[in-house]
Amino acid sequence: MALQAGFVKRVRDIMRMDAGINGDAQRIEQMVWMLFLKVYDAKEDDWELNEDNYTSIIPEEFRWRNWAVADDNGHAMTGDELLDFVNNKLFPTLKNLSVDPSTPVKKAIVKSTFEDANNYMKDGVYLRQVIDVINEIEFDDVKESHDFGFVYEEILRDLQSAGSSGEFYTPRAVTDFMALMIQPKLGEKMADFACGTGGFITSWLGQLQKQVTDTEAQKQFDDSIYGIEKKPFPYLLCVTNMLLHDIEVPNIYHDNSLRRNLLDYTEDDKFDVILMNPPYGGHEDKSIQGFFPDDLASSETADLFMSVIMYRLKKNGRAAVIIPDGFLFGLDNAKVAIKTKLLTEFNLHTVVRLPGSVFSPYTSISTNLLFFDNTGSTKETWFYRVDMPSDRKHFSKTKPMELKHFDDCIAWWNDRKEITLEDGPKAQKFTVDYLLNEQGCNLDLCGYPHEEEEVLDPLDTIRNYQEKRAALNAEIDHVLDQLEALLPGGVTE
Amino acid sequence: MTPERLKASILQAAIQGKLVEQIVGEQCPDLSKLKKKKTEEIEFELPDTWQFAHLESISVSVASKQFQIAAAEFKTAGKYPVISQSKEYIIGYSDNDKMLYHHDNPVIVFGDHTTIVKYVDFDFVVGADGVKIFSPNANIITAKFFGYVMEYYSTGLEKVGGYSRHYKFIKDKPFPIPPIEEQQRIVAKIEELIPLVEQYSRHYEKLEQFNAKFPEEMKKSILQYAIHGKLVEQRPEEGTAEELYQQIQEEKQKLIKAGKIKKEKSLTAIKDDEIPYDIPESWKWVKLGDVVSLLSGSDFPPSKYNDKGEGMPYMTGASNIVADQLIINRWTPTPNNISHLNDLLLVCKGSGYGKTVINTIGDVHIARQFMSFQYGLPISYKYLGFYLQSQIGTIKQNGQGVIPGIDRTFVLNMLLPLPPQKEQQRIVKKIEELLPYCDRLIR
């Protein structure tokens, strides 16, 4: 456990002195490619032991054990020599490794992870110091690698800058809760089409681990996951994460899930379980909407992902998705079409509402968990509101949400009753008729009574305002459409 | 588009014959036997089958005073409804048989002062002055159509002339007369559209209120972001707040020794569970009293101040703050609690408590409604000002009492997230850059 205490702080303190590192995002990126090589090196030890003819894809002199570790005489490269080696030899080599379709994934992964990696540090002496700290990690002890998982989590949580740096990390408590409630079974295949650093996959594996009793099971275990991540940096983190979990051939792809014709998906593209937190307010080219049929096309990436999920969920498959409030109350044409499809073609059985600070400090935006399956159309939907524990006003980086904060919800899950508190309904069910007609697909139910008073971060304040204004405008337009239809010359659809 | 405008455009289309189609064969009623009265020019083109007339030719005006009861006589339940000029359709009830207006044909009520138009097809009692009752000639014009024409001409009138009488503005307007069947079709159409206009009105109101709140929300959001340390980046070369804190303590000691500020009782340390949120590592949580010197004010009786300019300016309270500037309206020749140039003033009592303003005037005496943060310590008073602005919610919560306001103890114990000095300045600069945009959002 000595590993955890101060590891991140020590590395951060060293990097702080290097002029090349500008800001937290670069600092994390820097830490991570080095960790990857260290982790990969440890894995290669295992592979060499277990396989007869294992050869590394990395040329000998560029393997971590040969350049980063001190030699028998205690000498190790440092200063300008180290800097030159890393910038002019190591990186170019790893970026240009020879890879073709027949290359095993666990080897090809080195090239793909270095495709967009960068060495930001400009001082070889500090670089040496950081490498030394990283080298202190020993992987012989299995426990150590689990501890390292925690350190890894801390690094991910450490991403201070809100928005673009932090958007690919979902709090562990939430992914664990969703994986728990989805009840993984050995033999099933799960997918996360925007897997980020692999949080959902990790939680899924955590649940499934208990069912692994033999090598056959182990194989099913390894094959049970599938992830796509668009951004190179989180992709690198995810791959490293998978290696840490002994998934040697992780089905993680560096790609953009939205860049495929929605209507082209076949049975082979479908999964038993989908767990994900699609990015909201994503920056996608307008051309991406061309891959979607007109009624489902939207400029909001979360909307597009909902459609991808619906098209890639197997018959009788189960899904749990995190979506923002805007999806619940939004009434623009695309959202109404998507929600109508969700309610009429899928069984949206549960909506769990989460308090605003769950994703703190990345964003203060309010999120919700949609649980649905592909067994038929919805008859009724249960809404449940998770309330803040009484011991605090907000979740924060130092006091984040934990799985235990879901205990009430878990207890309620299999014995569902309506609950009404002083300030409003906490758990209530609604018929699909009510949701489609009276509510007109506005699913903002069992919400938080004092949400209005929360002061959000400026970017979230703006987004929230724009979404709500769009929803109000959509309602107004709906009334005006009806009015128009009754006027001479008005368009009637 | 306001709901009023939408309704007006629908009514306008109605009275111009554009809302429903004209049907061949329908004839306008015979107007030849009517008393002719001159109307204003008709400003639009009428359909061929239509004519127009003066409202007093096509309806009978019923004197309402004979059916009027006083407001004091209204009951909440009774035999007969009471109708007045109010927005509410029925304002009350009465059992007064003598005052009942009985009529066999529907009438239109026009509020002379309020310009409210009502269609009434039951017997009623009149509840106010200025209730004009018209009984339209059913052979010429249906009461409902008459009412809608009247409503159209009343659009926007309520803004003219306040509470004075408005009938004079509409009495000579040309009332279009379509064939009776067409009048009925027009009325049916209008009544189909009105519920939608009302729905629209409700949504519109919601949107207006929602938009009105936004600029303030944006401001709050920016201020909160700033004091959480997220608005600008931290720069290690600027040092830490801990260092600044020590500096401030040293400065304080110097000023105390020089007699410039008074020594204060030391404040209790901040407990872990009192800390409301995470701040950057280079910052420090402090109590406000630790890093400022706070001067309280004292009230003078009128005998000790004047409005003639004699002596030092005397600041009474929030009434001296206009458009975020201090204004002088009183002076005192015997000042005592003196705030100096660049001190930060906080209104701590009275209706405007929580407001802050920087003393740009110079030496002024402050009354008890003010507290002054004395300038001279190495802390940005603009940053402090923005910090206090961001705490207005907490301040107001704490100030609820018989006498609204906050006391010295509360102010001294407020928890302040302290950034390094240069960062305070960068934060202030950034906020000052962003706030004008929020102001521009206010329509």
Side-chain angles (χ1 to χ4, degrees):
Chain A
M1 280 310 216
L3 168 69
Q4 236 169 299
F7 169 82
V8 173
K9 185 171 188 310
R10 286 162 66 203
V11 171
R12 188 198 301 152
D13 286 345
I14 299 169
M15 286 194 184
R16 223 178 227 158
M17 299 189 280
D18 189 300
I21 303 263
N22 281 316
D24 292 330
Q26 287 187 352
R27 176 165 53 79
I28 302 297
E29 244 194 82
Q30 180 77 24
M31 231 191 272
V32 162
W33 67 255
M34 295 193 281
L35 280 172
F36 172 82
L37 288 179
K38 166 78 186 173
V39 167
Y40 193 76
D41 194 73
K43 289 274 103 197
E44 287 198 301
D45 271 344
D46 290 342
W47 298 331
E48 274 165 8
L49 248 157
N50 297 325
E51 290 168 43
D52 286 334
N53 292 312
Y54 179 78
T55 47
S56 178
I57 190 175
I58 307 177
E60 275 307 305
E61 56 177 308
F62 297 110
R63 295 176 76 184
W64 179 270
R65 64 190 63 184
N66 294 327
W67 68 267
V69 178
D71 66 19
D72 295 332
N73 295 324
H75 288 141
M77 274 192 287
T78 182
D80 289 337
E81 189 195 353
L82 177 61
L83 210 55
D84 176 62
F85 175 79
V86 168
N87 289 333
N88 301 322
K89 304 207 183 85
L90 180 70
F91 265 70
T93 305
L94 296 183
K95 281 180 191 284
N96 291 305
L97 290 174
S98 175
V99 156
D100 60 55
S102 69
T103 314
V105 177
K106 74 184 187 211
K107 294 191 182 182
I109 247 158
V110 178
K111 176 173 182 167
S112 27
T113 55
F114 271 83
E115 252 161 7
D116 293 287
N118 293 295
N119 172 41
Y120 292 106
M121 291 183 78
K122 291 200 167 27
D123 187 319
V125 174
Y126 291 137
L127 184 56
R128 175 78 246 159
Q129 290 178 9
V130 173
I131 292 173
D132 286 342
V133 175
I134 292 176
N135 264 330
E136 288 175 20
I137 307 165
E138 296 292 338
F139 281 101
D140 299 337
D141 187 6
V142 167
K143 188 170 187 302
E144 192 78 66
S145 84
H146 279 290
D147 288 347
F148 189 73
F150 285 125
V151 171
Y152 200 66
E153 293 282 307
E154 204 198 303
I155 294 170
L156 299 182
R157 268 213 306 272
D158 199 37
L159 289 165
Q160 285 267 8
S161 359
S164 51
S165 300
E167 72 185 348
F168 43 76
Y169 177 71
T170 305
R172 184 59 72 238
V174 181
T175 58
D176 280 347
F177 172 72
M178 290 164 76
L180 177 65
M181 306 322 281
I182 212 88
Q183 299 183 304
K185 292 186 214 5
L186 207 50
E188 287 182 328
K189 291 205 199 304
M190 72 77 80
D192 180 349
F193 305 117
C195 63
T197 54
F200 280 107
I201 296 177
T202 308
S203 291
W204 163 273
L205 293 174
Q207 286 298 317
L208 204 55
Q209 184 68 57
K210 312 168 192 164
Q211 300 174 31
V212 175
T213 48
D214 55 37
T215 40
E216 174 60 36
Q218 183 66 45
K219 179 134 200 348
Q220 288 180 313
F221 179 84
D222 291 355
D223 285 344
S224 70
I225 58 123
Y226 176 90
I228 301 180
E229 174 49 43
K230 180 180 86 161
K231 294 196 170 147
F233 178 49
Y235 171 74
L236 165 58
L237 294 172
C238 185
V239 165
T240 313
N241 209 359
M242 292 301 105
L243 289 180
L244 274 173
H245 282 81
D246 296 324
I247 308 277
E248 296 190 6
V249 188
N251 287 325
I252 311 291
Y253 302 95
H254 183 197
D255 200 352
N256 183 341
S257 314
L258 298 177
R259 284 202 170 275
R260 272 191 65 179
N261 261 314
L262 195 67
L263 302 175
D264 286 349
Y265 286 120
T266 64
E267 275 310 303
D268 290 337
D269 297 311
K270 299 194 183 182
F271 293 85
D272 301 298
V273 174
I274 297 176
L275 289 171
M276 63 180 291
N277 178 7
Y280 333 132
H283 305 292
E284 291 286 344
D285 214 74
K286 252 214 148 120
S287 65
I288 211 119
Q289 293 189 43
F291 294 102
F292 292 78
D294 283 344
D295 61 334
L296 300 175
S298 168
S299 53
E300 171 55 71
T301 46
D303 294 347
L304 297 178
F305 269 106
M306 278 306 295
S307 294
V308 171
I309 293 168
M310 288 193 284
Y311 273 79
R312 297 189 76 165
L313 189 61
K314 262 200 186 133
K315 192 98 194 70
N316 299 321
R318 315 181 295 288
V321 186
I322 307 182
I323 42 99
D325 273 2
F327 182 81
L328 293 185
F329 64 67
L331 295 178
D332 56 71
N333 291 332
K335 287 200 177 58
V336 171
I338 293 167
K339 284 188 274 188
T340 304
K341 189 180 175 71
L342 184 62
L343 290 167
T344 54
E345 294 176 34
F346 294 81
N347 176 21
L348 176 67
H349 54 84
T350 318
V351 175
V352 176
R353 311 212 55 179
L354 299 179
S357 51
V358 170
F359 279 74
S360 159
Y362 313 123
T363 173
S364 42
I365 219 151
S366 244
T367 52
N368 311 272
L369 313 179
L370 296 186
F371 288 88
F372 57 98
D373 61 46
N374 197 355
T375 58
S377 63
T378 313
K379 302 273 183 317
E380 64 187 20
T381 308
W382 272 98
F383 282 71
Y384 182 95
R385 179 186 86 204
V386 171
D387 286 315
M388 285 299 296
S390 49
D391 65 347
R392 65 193 79 174
K393 274 194 158 163
H394 309 280
F395 292 118
S396 64
K397 196 164 77 113
T398 45
K399 284 167 124 190
M401 189 177 199
E402 296 165 65
L403 188 58
K404 70 178 188 204
H405 295 129
F406 283 103
D407 282 349
D408 283 347
C409 184
I410 295 171
W412 167 90
W413 196 270
N414 291 316
D415 182 21
R416 298 183 175 201
K417 293 193 183 58
E418 299 211 333
I419 305 172
T420 308
L421 302 176
E422 223 174 69
D423 52 13
K426 179 185 168 83
Q428 202 177 344
K429 69 176 176 200
F430 300 90
T431 62
V432 69
D433 228 17
Y434 180 81
L435 296 175
L436 285 171
N437 300 320
E438 259 114 301
Q439 285 291 112
C441 283
N442 177 349
L443 305 180
D444 188 6
L445 298 159
C446 286
Y448 295 88
H450 302 298
E451 212 161 50
E452 303 286 294
E453 297 153 19
E454 271 291 321
V455 179
L456 308 172
D457 290 346
L459 291 179
D460 289 335
T461 302
I462 292 174
R463 285 217 72 208
N464 196 43
Y465 165 75
Q466 289 175 324
E467 281 180 349
K468 287 221 166 95
R469 183 184 60 185
L472 285 173
N473 280 331
E475 276 184 342
I476 287 179
D477 284 344
H478 187 59
V479 174
L480 293 179
D481 281 343
Q482 290 175 66
L483 206 83
E484 239 189 280
L486 296 174
L487 290 170
V491 180
T492 31
E493 279 288 313
Chain B
M1 170 180 72
T2 64
E4 292 76 25
R5 205 188 200 101
L6 179 60
K7 190 169 195 195
S9 77
I10 290 171
L11 292 178
Q12 182 171 275
I15 73 162
Q16 291 183 1
K18 296 188 190 153
L19 194 63
V20 303
E21 281 176 347
Q22 283 67 57
I23 292 183
V24 175
E26 286 178 351
Q27 303 259 359
C28 176
D30 179 12
L31 302 184
S32 56
K33 304 218 174 60
L34 296 179
K35 202 166 51 172
K36 293 275 189 280
K37 274 193 105 170
K38 199 161 189 305
T39 67
E40 288 176 16
E41 280 280 343
I42 192 148
E43 286 166 358
F44 48 87
E45 225 183 280
L46 283 177
D48 293 333
T49 48
W50 291 31
Q51 296 193 54
F52 64 93
H54 194 282
L55 82 91
E56 286 171 2
S57 312
I58 57 177
S59 68
V60 170
S61 180
V62 177
S64 62
K65 253 224 148 47
Q66 55 188 310
F67 305 109
Q68 192 176 335
I69 62 172
E73 294 171 49
F74 296 168
K75 294 175 157 182
T76 46
K79 286 195 281 194
Y80 314 117
V82 178
I83 294 193
S84 70
Q85 301 190 64
S86 63
K87 272 211 171 86
E88 298 92 344
Y89 191 54
I90 292 173
I91 194 89
Y93 292 85
S94 167
D95 294 320
N96 193 331
D97 304 300
K98 287 208 199 69
M99 296 310 208
L100 184 66
Y101 170 50
H102 168 74
H103 53 108
D104 295 314
N105 295 316
V107 296
I108 294 295
V109 165
F110 175 76
D112 214 351
H113 301 109
T114 62
T115 75
I116 303 274
V117 175
K118 294 178 184 168
Y119 168 87
V120 189
D121 60 3
F122 45 82
D123 297 346
F124 62 94
V125 173
V126 174
D129 283 342
V131 169
K132 296 192 82 67
I133 305 176
F134 296 92
S135 181
N137 181 339
N139 294 321
I140 309 291
I141 188 166
T142 69
K144 282 195 173 177
F145 186 76
F146 181 92
Y148 284 125
V149 178
M150 190 164 254
E151 206 181 318
Y152 172 69
Y153 282 128
S154 312
T155 307
L157 264 190
E158 75 273 10
K159 301 198 179 82
V160 177
Y163 200 67
S164 65
R165 290 177 178 270
H166 294 87
Y167 179 60
K168 56 182 183 251
F169 295 116
I170 64 166
K171 73 187 249 295
D172 293 322
K173 293 280 183 204
F175 268 56
I177 319 275
I180 296 270
E181 304 93 329
E182 190 172 341
Q183 292 180 31
Q184 287 162 343
R185 282 187 285 119
I186 293 173
V187 165
K189 189 52 136 182
I190 293 176
E191 296 189 334
E192 230 188 322
L193 295 168
I194 283 189
L196 291 170
V197 175
E198 283 169 2
Q199 259 188 60
Y200 173 78
S201 176
R202 285 194 293 274
H203 289 308
Y204 178 83
E205 271 312 306
K206 259 195 346 197
L207 185 64
E208 287 288 285
Q209 285 172 6
F210 174 72
N211 275 327
K213 285 191 311 185
F214 182 60
E216 196 50 45
E217 271 183 23
M218 204 57 229
K219 258 195 188 157
K220 277 193 192 159
S221 172
I222 290 170
L223 289 177
Q224 180 173 279
Y225 210 53
I227 66 167
H228 281 227
K230 298 189 203 166
L231 190 63
V232 302
E233 60 179 18
Q234 280 70 58
R235 293 185 189 162
E237 64 270 21
E238 290 176 352
T240 64
E242 182 60 54
E243 290 161 0
L244 175 63
Y245 181 73
Q246 298 304 335
Q247 234 188 305
I248 292 175
Q249 300 316 308
E250 284 168 19
E251 269 303 309
K252 258 192 159 184
Q253 291 309 316
K254 282 197 204 140
L255 290 172
I256 291 173
K257 279 219 176 83
K260 293 257 171 79
I261 60 176
K262 287 216 281 252
K263 185 164 164 62
E264 298 264 3
K265 202 166 69 162
S266 46
L267 300 163
T268 54
I270 304 175
K271 295 201 268 293
D272 267 347
D273 56 11
E274 285 180 313
I275 294 186
Y277 48 85
D278 298 328
I279 50 175
E281 273 184 27
S282 53
W283 290 33
K284 184 182 170 65
W285 277 109
V286 302
K287 283 199 169 175
L288 197 48
D290 284 333
V291 294
V292 298
S293 171
L294 191 65
L295 176 73
S296 292
S298 72
D299 284 343
F300 280 179
S303 55
K304 287 181 86 176
Y305 60 74
N306 62 78
D307 55 9
K308 296 195 180 56
E310 295 164 4
M312 182 185 288
Y314 174 91
M315 292 295 143
T316 323
S319 54
N320 290 93
I321 306 180
V322 175
D324 295 324
Q325 302 280 355
L326 269 181
I327 57 151
I328 310 172
N329 50 24
R330 282 179 184 162
W331 291 259
T332 174
T334 54
N336 192 29
N337 309 59
I338 301 173
S339 163
H340 306 290
L341 188 65
N342 291 326
D343 285 355
L344 177 69
L345 296 176
L346 168 69
V347 181
C348 53
K349 289 189 182 24
S351 59
Y353 78 92
K355 279 195 191 164
T356 56
V357 70
I358 298 218
N359 177 357
T360 46
I361 296 175
D363 286 359
V364 302
H365 169 97
I366 55 170
R368 271 166 45 89
Q369 277 195 21
F370 274 117
M371 282 182 195
S372 172
F373 294 91
Q374 296 177 287
Y375 188 71
L377 294 170
I379 188 170
S380 159
Y381 273 31
K382 283 192 173 179
Y383 175 76
L384 264 192
F386 284 132
Y387 161 74
L388 288 168
Q389 259 188 60
S390 79
Q391 297 305 298
I392 196 81
T394 318
I395 291 176
K396 289 284 175 166
Q397 254 183 347
N398 214 273
Q400 315 283 7
V402 176
I403 304 168
I406 45 176
D407 62 17
R408 214 179 148 76
T409 312
F410 175 78
V411 176
L412 291 173
N413 281 291
M414 283 179 81
L415 294 175
L416 171 76
L418 184 72
Q421 196 170 13
K422 285 227 172 75
E423 190 169 339
Q424 293 174 30
Q425 289 158 359
R426 283 188 292 122
I427 293 173
V428 165
K429 192 148 170 265
K430 192 69 175 180
I431 295 177
E432 289 180 335
E433 211 187 325
L434 292 170
L435 285 189
Y437 288 100
C438 297
D439 290 333
R440 273 159 62 176
L441 288 171
I442 304 173
R443 291 185 295 159

